[in-house]
């Protein structure tokens, strides 16, 4: 035995070295010795709900410390799936050896060998040297593991006592052990019955009778209950002077077959280790625990993992209405299915009843479970269902999707079983994400690796129900194919629920209650009721998403009710540390340029909900919660197949998204910019879906309204293919010459990448022939920066456009070497943008002023912080490159290198070209002088600078 955790932690007979976290890490790995433990679970185990900012680095540091103190031959192995302790098998860890010995004892007892059972269990109990995990009790994971191990120890003690008495062994050693356990569990009736028999067998009948009276009084006072049958029979045996040996403790035979034990899983347990620990703790604290989640989430597998020896397994999957009690009777091995007979069968011993697949008979199952719990004080029930039983005192453990790494590990392991030698593939994360991290879907997909490559599998997931139509032939029918998994839940819905679920499939990425009501043709109250019902039945998830409107930092997202988060993650812009310093006097006096000054963001009172239901509500200052409902993609795909093509929800969804985009457009040029960007971030999958579905006319309108959002979030490259497809549809519909959609057509050409000269020429003609001002203020700016300056564009006369024009005038002045005018115009622009509360324009003006300042670094720092709060990658890369040039000119090579490294990383993530390195003579030089982010400086190539049009 190398490692001992059942008492003080020791390694090779000596106290474990290292600090508290190193010992906690070692213990957590020991409890899964030889198996991979995910990094997420290790972080949760070490730091709980408050991990440090650099949790991954902190974990690596603790692992490094642990490696230095491990004995020879034992190591911590790292893989993409997590960490594993190697060189130590189950018999090298006392807790794992204890569990194995207990299982051996249980098997011997079940086979009618009390002598063998007594030996196995005595050896198991001898491994305990004190409280479990004594040296790591403060670790966040400790409570659940200690509760599990203590429960196993008490069960083992009872079985050992029963086996010793049944085998005719000396009862004297039992007396002290049982007395100590009775102090901790005074109302555990089987334990006290064994204590009575041991005392009587040791010739201490008076003490045995006193124990009975003590327990009887405590049961009456605390529970209002009479002693159970086993306790009463032990008392009666003492009064009659009957022996306490084999005949006394052997359970009475029952008619019919014995109890049904939980089936032994055929595969290893992967990916739910954290939930397993939480379940162990819940089963100690609560008498009824229900695992809830969608079909294929792994509820049954987790229940089997938690089932202790002696548990009884009740499978309700194949029963119908009126047959639940019969299923319980068969599982318990009794012929009479009357509730009072079931109570009698369970009342004489502590039992864990695992009740699987309750959802289709949930009411009947709930009523019976409540009766059994009320009549059997030592009974515990672990149920699995796609909705809660709804019984008072029920504790729920919802199962969400597997974490990405756990999902990938499960897929790789099952894939290796299907195709020996399979160790992973670059597209495994894509496959796991497409299948929502659902364990059953991942296992069905992994089985297809027998005949498909990983690339072929990933490419064919668009038709997932046909692809995953071959499963385990021995599995229940509802688990053999992916379609059957969803269909089982679908058939349990009411007609109203099915209608809403089908219409809900038009949404991608979720929706608010108000949006669902509007698109699905319901009033808000009815929509809320139906959404709650679908959530309770595990067809829909309710997401709680916190957003930080004041700072632009992304929030967190989780599934309501789940103990861990999992799912959608919001994009995290790179955050920089502004350089220290203050603005120069010349810029501070002309535009109030102060290093570190922010752009005002309005309070939440500025964002009400308008009559279209499009307000941003609590997305303003601080953290607000935006409750959204969403379907897992597998469920959504099934529901979409049940929605007729002519259903009005399709058109209603497109109209809703167009209203939202148009409402957001002007707000993106003002003080509410951050709040509306967050709103559009949440709706971005819906907006793309609407763009794919829209008519050519509505598609152009959507492109025009979303253009500022795509620019500010750096998404133009990601929508180029969609825009190109829309252009093809527009041309096939003969809309290229429609003057009323000319500006929209031009913006679509720009969004598609402006590579087709014929389309560019057509768009230029449509823009320059306009007699009315442009409707989209970004149009002139984007045309100038993408195609080239065009002086004949009818620019709108709004405040934002005037401020941007001032920036352009400033850069034109710089082109004439008129620094005074340039400074004046840029400072005026900064004042205007600050008044609007618009971050991108403010940063653009600051960037221009930095080129005129003797101390540009504070201005660069403030501009960079604003660009990063928006996530506009092109501007971040450009500014970091320009600041690197300033550092290079000042002789600060380290600062320049750091800025270039950051710029390259941002460019890599955004798919942009690498920035120019001012220190590398092989890089082509950039344009001389300050660059004009408005694109207006290029007019000097075509016009005289004295021309009023310029």
């Amino acid at each position: 035995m190398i490692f001992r955790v059942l008492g003080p932690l020791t390694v090779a007979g000596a106290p474990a070295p290292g600090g508290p976290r190193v010992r906690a890490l070692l213990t957590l790995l020991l409890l899964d010795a030889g198996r991979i433990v995910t990094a997420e679970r290790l972080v949760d185990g070490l730091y709980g709900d408050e991990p440090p900012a650099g949790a991954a680095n902190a974990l690596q540091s603790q692992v490094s410390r642990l490696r230095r103190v491990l004995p020879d031959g034992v190591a911590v192995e790292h893989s993409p799936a997590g960490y594993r302790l190697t060189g130590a098998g189950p018999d090298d860890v006392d807790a794992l050896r204890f569990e194995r010995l207990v299982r051996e004892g249980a098997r011997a007892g079940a086979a009618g060998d009390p002598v063998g059972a007594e030996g196995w269990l005595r050896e198991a109990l001898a491994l305990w040297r004190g409280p479990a995990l004594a040296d790591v009790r403060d670790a966040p994971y400790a409570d659940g593991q200690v509760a599990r191990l203590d429960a196993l120890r008490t069960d083992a003690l009872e079985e050992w006592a029963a086996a010793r008495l049944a085998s005719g062994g000396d009862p004297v050693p039992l007396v002290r052990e049982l007395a100590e356990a009775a102090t901790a569990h005074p109302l555990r009736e089987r334990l006290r019955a064994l204590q009575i028999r041991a005392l009587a067998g040791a010739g201490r009948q008076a003490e045995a009778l006193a124990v009975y009276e003590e327990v009887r009084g405590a049961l009456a006072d605390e529970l209002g209950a009479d002693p159970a049958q086993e306790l009463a029979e032990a008392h009666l045996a003492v009064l009659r002077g009957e022996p306490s040996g084999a005949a006394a403790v052997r359970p009475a035979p029952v008619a019919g077959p014995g109890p049904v034990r939980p089936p032994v899983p055929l595969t290893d347990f992967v990916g739910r280790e954290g939930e397993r620990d939480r379940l162990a703790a819940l089963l100690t604290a609560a008498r009824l625990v229900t695992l809830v989640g969608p079909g294929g989430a792994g509820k049954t597998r987790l229940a089997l993992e938690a089932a202790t020896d002696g548990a009884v397994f009740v499978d309700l999957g194949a029963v119908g209405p009126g047959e639940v009690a019969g299923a319980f009777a068969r599982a318990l091995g009794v012929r009479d299915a009357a509730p009072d007979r079931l109570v009698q069968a369970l009342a004489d011993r502590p039992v864990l009843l695992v009740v699987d697949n309750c959802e289709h008979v949930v009411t009947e199952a709930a009523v019976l479970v409540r009766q059994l719990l009320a009549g059997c004080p030592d009974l515990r029930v672990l149920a699995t269902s796609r909705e809660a039983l709804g019984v008072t005192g029920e504790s729920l453990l919802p199962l969400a999707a597997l974490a990405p790494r756990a999902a990938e590990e499960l897929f790789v392991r099952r894939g290796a079983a299907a195709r020996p030698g399979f160790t992973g593939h670059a597209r495994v994360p894509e496959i796991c994400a497409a299948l929502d991290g659902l364990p059953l879907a991942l296992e069905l997909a992994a089985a297809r690796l027998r005949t498909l490559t990983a690339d072929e599998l990933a490419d064919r997931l668009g038709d997932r129900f046909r692809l995953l139509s071959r499963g385990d032939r021995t599995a229940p029918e509802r688990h053999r194919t992916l379609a059957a998994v969803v269909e089982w839940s679908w058939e349990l819905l009411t007609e109203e629920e099915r209608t809403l679920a089908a219409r809900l499939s038009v949404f991608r990425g979720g929706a608010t209650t108000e949006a669902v009501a509007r698109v699905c043709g319901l009033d808000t109250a009815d929509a809320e009721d139906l959404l709650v019902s679908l959530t309770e039945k595990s067809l829909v998830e309710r997401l709680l998403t916190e957003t930080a409107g004041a700072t632009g930092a992304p929030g967190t997202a989780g599934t309501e009710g789940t103990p861990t988060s999992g799912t959608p993650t919001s994009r995290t812009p790179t955050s920089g540390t502004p350089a220290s310093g203050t603005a120069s006097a010349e810029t501070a006096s002309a535009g109030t340029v102060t290093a570190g000054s922010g752009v005002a963001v309005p309070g939440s009172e500025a964002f009400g909900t308008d009559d279209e239901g499009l307000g941003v509500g609590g997305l303003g200052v601080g953290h607000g919660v935006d409750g959204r409902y969403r379907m897992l993609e597998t469920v959504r795909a099934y529901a979409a197949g049940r929605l007729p093509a002519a259903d009005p929800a399709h058109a209603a969804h497109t109209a809703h998204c167009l209203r939202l985009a148009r409402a957001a457009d002007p707000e993106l040029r003002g003080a509410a910019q951050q709040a509306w960007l967050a709103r559009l971030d949440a709706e971005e999958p819906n907006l793309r879906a609407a763009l794919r579905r829209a008519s050519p006319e509505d598609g152009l309108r959507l492109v025009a309204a979303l253009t500022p959002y795509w620019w500010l979030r750096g998404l133009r490259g990601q929508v180029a293919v969609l825009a190109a497809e829309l252009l093809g549809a527009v041309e096939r519909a003969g809309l290229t010459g429609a003057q009323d959609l000319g500006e929209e057509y031009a913006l679509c050409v720009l969004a598609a990448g402006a590579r087709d000269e014929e389309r560019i020429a057509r768009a230029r003609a449509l823009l320059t022939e306009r007699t009315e001002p442009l409707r989209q203020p970004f149009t002139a700016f984007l045309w100038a920066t993408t195609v080239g300056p065009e002086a004949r564009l009818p620019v709108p006369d709004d405040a934002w456009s005037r401020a941007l024009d001032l920036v352009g005038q400033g850069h034109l002045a710089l082109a004439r070497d008129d620094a005074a005018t340039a400074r004046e115009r840029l400072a005026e622009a900064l004042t205007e943008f600050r008044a609007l509360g618009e971050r991108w324009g403010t940063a653009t003006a600051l960037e221009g002023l930095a080129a005129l300042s003797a101390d540009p670094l504070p201005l660069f720092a403030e501009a960079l912080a604003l660009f990063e709060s928006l996530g506009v990658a092109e501007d971040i890369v450009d500014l970091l490159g320009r600041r690197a040039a300033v550092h290079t000119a000042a002789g600060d090579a380290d600062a320049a290198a750091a800025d270039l490294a950051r710029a390259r990383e941002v460019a890599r993530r955004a798919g942009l070209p690498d920035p120019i390195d001012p220190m590398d003579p092989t890089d082509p030089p950039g344009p001389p002088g300050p660059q004009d982010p408005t694109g207006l400086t290029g007019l000097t190539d075509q016009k005289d600078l004295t021309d009023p049009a310029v």
Side-chain angles (χ1 to χ4, degrees):
M1 191 77 61
I2 302 177
F3 300 97
R4 292 180 177 270
V5 298
L6 300 178
L9 179 61
T10 64
V11 178
R21 283 219 168 92
V22 170
R23 293 196 298 271
L25 174 61
L26 172 59
T27 303
L28 191 51
L29 290 169
L30 286 172
L31 293 173
D32 278 291
R35 294 187 292 187
I36 291 176
V37 184
T38 65
E40 290 85 351
R41 184 177 168 220
L42 292 174
V43 169
D44 287 344
L46 293 180
Y47 303 103
D49 295 330
E50 298 181 354
N57 292 335
L59 174 61
Q60 290 175 2
S61 176
Q62 298 298 337
V63 170
S64 297
R65 293 188 179 99
L66 175 58
R67 284 171 171 152
R68 290 196 290 268
V69 299
L70 287 173
D72 292 340
V74 180
V76 178
E77 176 183 285
H78 178 256
S79 72
Y83 295 84
R84 175 168 54 189
L85 193 71
T86 61
D91 274 354
D92 294 320
V93 182
D94 59 356
L96 303 184
R97 181 175 174 81
F98 166 74
E99 292 184 49
R100 183 182 67 78
L101 293 171
V102 169
R103 289 193 294 271
E104 295 289 349
R107 276 192 279 268
D113 179 13
V115 175
E118 192 273 342
W120 288 114
L121 293 164
R122 176 165 30 86
E123 183 181 353
L125 291 167
L127 294 171
W128 286 73
R129 300 168 297 108
L133 314 189
D135 289 345
V136 296
R137 285 292 180 101
D138 292 333
Y141 68 84
D143 288 345
Q145 289 287 354
V146 168
R148 182 179 69 85
L149 291 168
D150 285 348
L152 282 174
R153 183 186 191 184
T154 305
D155 291 344
L157 177 62
E158 288 179 349
E159 294 301 324
W160 172 60
R164 190 174 183 88
L165 291 172
S167 63
D170 183 4
V172 173
L174 296 177
V175 172
R176 181 178 60 83
E177 297 284 350
L178 293 172
E180 291 180 358
T183 302
H185 305 283
L187 298 182
R188 188 163 173 138
E189 292 186 74
R190 188 180 188 223
L191 176 68
R192 302 309 295 269
L194 290 165
Q195 183 186 14
I196 289 170
R197 293 188 185 279
L199 285 167
R204 298 160 65 172
Q205 283 81 1
E207 292 178 57
L209 294 173
V211 167
Y212 175 79
E213 291 301 323
E214 173 195 337
V215 180
R216 185 184 65 79
L219 287 169
D221 293 340
E222 297 185 30
L223 301 179
D226 293 326
Q229 182 179 350
E230 183 174 6
L231 188 59
E233 288 177 353
H235 175 242
L236 187 60
V238 176
L239 292 175
R240 291 174 175 172
E242 294 176 355
S244 59
V249 297
R250 191 175 293 121
V254 295
V260 176
R261 300 304 179 193
V264 178
L266 300 180
T267 56
D268 54 345
F269 184 75
V270 181
R272 295 277 190 208
E273 290 82 1
E275 288 93 337
R276 181 182 61 190
D277 294 344
R278 283 189 287 275
L279 180 56
L282 281 174
L283 286 171
T284 301
R287 296 182 60 212
L288 171 59
V289 179
T290 304
L291 300 175
V292 294
K299 301 182 293 295
T300 300
R301 184 65 178 84
L302 178 59
L304 294 178
E305 189 73 11
T308 55
D309 291 329
V312 176
F313 186 74
V314 185
D315 186 2
L316 300 182
V319 309
E323 300 175 352
V324 171
F328 274 69
R330 288 190 296 274
L332 291 168
V334 298
R335 292 179 177 173
D336 190 347
D340 57 345
R341 183 65 185 90
L342 296 176
V343 169
Q344 184 180 359
L346 288 166
D348 61 346
R349 64 192 189 278
V351 174
L352 173 65
L353 206 59
V354 179
V355 187
D356 197 27
N357 298 307
C358 298
E359 56 272 351
H360 61 299
V361 285
V362 65
T363 301
E364 193 176 338
V367 170
L368 183 56
V369 165
R370 193 182 193 287
Q371 289 176 297
L372 297 178
L373 288 170
C376 308
D378 290 331
L379 175 66
R380 291 174 294 150
V381 175
L382 170 58
T384 75
S385 179
R386 301 188 190 187
E387 64 176 303
L389 299 190
V391 175
T392 302
E394 177 183 31
S395 292
L396 299 180
L397 181 57
L399 296 188
L402 286 174
R405 285 192 177 181
E408 292 161 24
E409 180 189 359
L410 175 63
F411 182 84
V412 170
R413 287 201 194 184
R414 301 297 183 260
R419 181 196 290 175
F422 179 76
T423 59
H425 189 274
R427 298 187 73 180
V428 167
E430 176 189 343
I431 293 169
C432 294
L435 294 174
D436 305 303
L438 286 177
L440 180 59
L442 295 172
E443 293 186 333
L444 290 171
R448 294 306 309 271
L449 291 176
R450 296 189 189 100
T451 56
L452 298 176
T453 67
D455 281 324
E456 290 169 335
L457 181 63
D459 291 340
R460 292 175 59 182
L461 281 176
D463 191 7
R464 65 188 63 205
F465 295 114
R466 173 180 290 183
L467 178 68
L468 306 182
S469 60
R470 300 174 187 173
D472 184 349
R473 294 186 180 93
T474 66
E477 187 175 347
R478 64 186 179 280
H479 280 170
R480 290 181 192 172
T481 70
L482 188 61
V485 171
V486 186
E487 185 175 12
W488 173 261
S489 296
W490 189 267
E491 293 303 319
L492 299 177
L493 302 179
T494 66
E495 192 59 37
E496 283 185 323
E497 290 168 344
R498 286 194 197 112
T499 299
L500 178 61
R503 289 179 171 172
L504 195 59
S505 68
V506 301
F507 289 96
R508 304 297 290 264
T512 62
T513 304
E514 293 76 13
V516 172
R518 174 176 293 277
V519 170
C520 299
L522 298 168
D523 64 43
T524 303
D526 288 343
E528 180 69 32
D529 289 344
L530 288 169
L531 285 168
V532 169
S533 181
L534 289 172
T535 302
E536 290 174 346
K537 294 180 180 181
S538 300
L539 267 296
V540 169
E541 292 179 332
R542 185 167 186 261
L543 304 178
L544 298 180
T545 306
E546 293 188 2
T547 58
T551 64
T556 59
T559 306
E560 183 178 71
T562 56
T564 58
S565 60
T567 45
T569 57
S570 53
R571 178 177 176 277
T572 307
T574 310
S575 63
T577 304
S580 60
T582 58
S584 63
E586 58 182 358
T587 54
S589 61
T592 320
V593 182
T594 307
S597 62
V599 177
V601 175
S604 58
E605 69 278 0
F607 308 128
T609 301
D610 59 26
D611 59 359
E612 294 290 324
L614 299 174
V616 295
L619 289 173
V621 174
H623 291 269
V625 176
D626 178 21
R628 297 172 62 82
Y629 292 90
R630 72 150 191 170
M631 286 177 159
L632 294 177
E633 181 56 26
T634 295
V635 177
R636 195 205 65 77
Y638 184 91
R642 267 90 190 134
L643 185 67
D647 192 278
H650 294 293
H653 179 260
T654 301
H656 168 76
C657 289
L658 182 55
R659 279 195 303 271
L660 174 64
R662 284 177 162 173
D665 178 26
E667 303 293 345
L668 296 181
R669 294 184 294 279
Q673 183 181 58
Q674 286 289 84
W676 278 91
L677 284 172
R679 173 72 182 275
L680 293 178
D681 286 343
E683 299 292 351
E684 202 268 341
N686 278 316
L687 296 169
R688 288 201 194 198
L691 188 55
R692 290 188 181 94
R693 185 190 305 117
S695 66
E697 296 92 334
D698 282 344
L700 289 176
R701 296 180 183 110
L702 261 173
V703 167
L706 290 173
T707 289
Y709 169 66
W710 293 337
W711 171 263
L712 292 172
R713 281 301 199 222
L715 298 175
R716 290 191 302 163
Q718 298 180 28
V719 299
V721 172
L722 273 178
E725 291 173 355
L726 176 59
L727 283 175
V730 167
E731 290 162 0
R732 288 191 297 273
L735 296 175
T736 54
Q739 184 61 52
D740 59 327
L741 292 172
E743 182 178 359
E744 288 80 357
Y745 176 82
L747 287 169
C748 196
V749 170
L750 297 178
R755 296 182 180 90
D756 189 307
E757 291 298 330
E758 182 179 347
R759 286 173 172 170
I760 292 172
R762 186 183 301 128
R764 178 182 288 110
L766 288 168
L767 288 177
T768 56
E769 291 170 7
R770 290 178 62 92
T771 57
E772 297 178 355
L774 297 170
R775 289 186 291 267
Q776 173 56 263
F778 261 87
T779 301
F781 158 68
L782 289 175
W783 187 270
T785 56
T786 306
V787 178
E790 178 57 64
R792 295 169 291 169
L793 297 185
V795 179
D797 188 29
D798 63 290
W800 186 87
S801 297
R802 290 194 298 271
L804 188 64
D805 179 58
L806 287 169
V807 175
Q809 291 181 36
H811 283 281
L812 289 172
L814 279 176
R816 296 193 301 264
D817 293 327
D818 185 354
T821 300
R823 185 178 294 110
E824 180 182 348
R825 295 293 182 269
L826 290 167
E828 288 178 28
L830 180 62
T831 301
E832 295 296 324
F833 280 127
R834 285 198 192 281
L836 290 170
E838 201 273 290
R839 292 173 173 242
W840 180 83
T842 302
T844 300
L846 286 166
E847 190 177 9
L849 284 165
L852 296 164
S853 174
D855 184 15
L857 293 181
L859 302 179
F860 276 140
E862 185 179 356
L864 181 60
L866 293 171
F867 282 145
E868 288 179 328
S869 73
L870 296 170
V872 55
E874 293 93 333
D875 288 308
I876 294 171
V877 172
D878 176 65
L879 193 148
L880 284 169
R882 296 182 62 195
R883 193 168 72 174
V886 171
H887 286 312
T888 299
D892 192 344
D894 291 342
D899 274 351
L900 282 170
R902 284 177 60 192
R904 290 192 180 102
E905 178 61 19
V906 174
R908 183 187 64 79
R909 292 180 180 176
L912 299 172
D914 272 352
I916 294 170
D917 185 351
M919 298 177 291
D920 186 350
T922 64
D923 266 355
Q931 297 176 33
D932 172 15
T934 70
L936 299 179
T937 305
L939 287 172
T940 56
D941 297 334
Q942 308 171 30
K943 298 284 185 179
D944 187 334
L945 290 177
T946 61
D947 186 334
V950 176

